[in-house]
Amino acid sequence: MPTALITGASRGLGAEIARQLSATHDLLLGGRPSPELDKLATELDGASTFAVDLTDHDGVAAATEAIGELDVLVHNAGIASSLEAVADTPADEWREILEVNVVAAAELTRLLLPALRAAGGHVVFINSGSGRRVNARWTPYAASKFALRALADGLRAEEPDLRVTSIYPGRIDTDMQRDIVALEGGEYDPRRFLTVNSVARAVVHAVTTPAEAHPEEIVLRPTGRR
């Protein structure tokens, strides 16, 4: 079977992407070492862990050395910002969010390009609505997602033998979303958000699109209907 590496796979959207791809792909489950990651690998037949902190570039380089071919790379790992105004966001927070959301994805892609080229592979970036527009108090996060969009577009232009897809979901019903709503001071209503199932299905749709077609962008917005 083809092989897929999914970052941020220990929970939420990443875990659901893994579950939906498990029937058709051998999986490398990316994430920091954790019981959750190990449990998912045990649950999914044929899955292995890619247990490394993506900001540890030496560790990532060592972990990728044995990967000779890779059919699918799904960049799902990422963090949100503290929802402060530009006037209140220190340089350290800018550095952290750009390091995790952009630099880590760029470096992992760079290291895996030989394996992706060998397989004629597919790179999927889980972006965000914030990668297409900026709302107040979301500027650092949006900046990282605009940069992730540029990374995907540049990779697509430079690597014509690969397929590169950016997926732009609206807000998703996850534990991270609950934390964000708490920061915003609102009440949590999951009906306002996309399900991880719907977004994972978009990833599967992109990956299983016949080879003669290139799904470059997929935009998903919640309807409020379940």
Side-chain angles (χ1 to χ4, degrees), residues 53-221:
D53 184 335
L54 293 178
T55 63
D56 174 7
H57 300 308
D58 290 339
V60 172
T64 57
E65 282 182 356
I67 302 176
E69 287 194 16
L70 184 65
D71 299 275
V72 178
L73 172 59
V74 181
H75 287 291
N76 171 69
I79 59 173
S81 64
S82 60
L83 303 186
E84 299 288 348
V86 172
D88 300 317
T89 305
D92 285 348
E93 182 167 340
W94 280 95
R95 291 189 187 98
E96 180 184 20
I97 198 165
L98 290 168
E99 176 71 25
V100 174
N101 289 0
V102 186
V103 177
E107 180 65 357
L108 181 61
T109 302
R110 183 185 73 83
L111 291 167
L112 287 173
L113 270 176
L116 288 160
R117 289 168 180 155
H122 193 157
V123 184
V124 179
F125 292 89
I126 305 299
N127 202 294
S128 166
S130 293
R132 297 168 64 87
R133 66 183 185 281
V134 185
N135 294 323
R137 299 175 63 204
W138 284 86
T139 305
Y141 180 76
S144 74
K145 292 300 186 177
F146 269 72
L148 194 67
R149 178 180 183 178
L151 172 59
D153 290 351
L155 182 66
R156 190 182 302 115
E158 293 169 1
E159 300 287 339
D161 292 332
L162 303 182
R163 294 197 296 181
V164 180
T165 303
S166 286
I167 296 181
Y168 299 92
R171 296 171 71 162
I172 308 169
D173 178 18
T174 61
D175 290 341
M176 181 185 291
Q177 195 66 242
R178 290 180 181 275
D179 293 339
I180 291 170
V181 171
L183 282 173
E184 293 172 328
E187 292 188 8
Y188 195 82
D189 181 356
R191 294 172 298 181
R192 295 169 49 208
F193 309 121
L194 296 165
T195 65
V196 292
N197 175 68
S198 294
V199 182
R201 287 178 66 181
V203 175
V204 174
H205 172 75
V207 169
T208 58
T209 296
E212 47 87 18
H214 192 155
E216 295 185 353
E217 295 187 340
I218 298 174
V219 180
L220 300 173
R221 293 288 176 266

Side-chain angles (χ1 to χ4, degrees), residues 1-6 21 24-28 46 67 69-73 116 119 121-122:
M1 286 200 295
T3 300
L5 169 56
I6 304 156
L21 285 178
T24 54
H25 290 75
D26 291 324
L27 300 179
L28 294 171
I67 302 176
E69 287 194 16
L70 184 65
D71 299 275
V72 178
L73 172 59
L116 288 160
H122 193 157

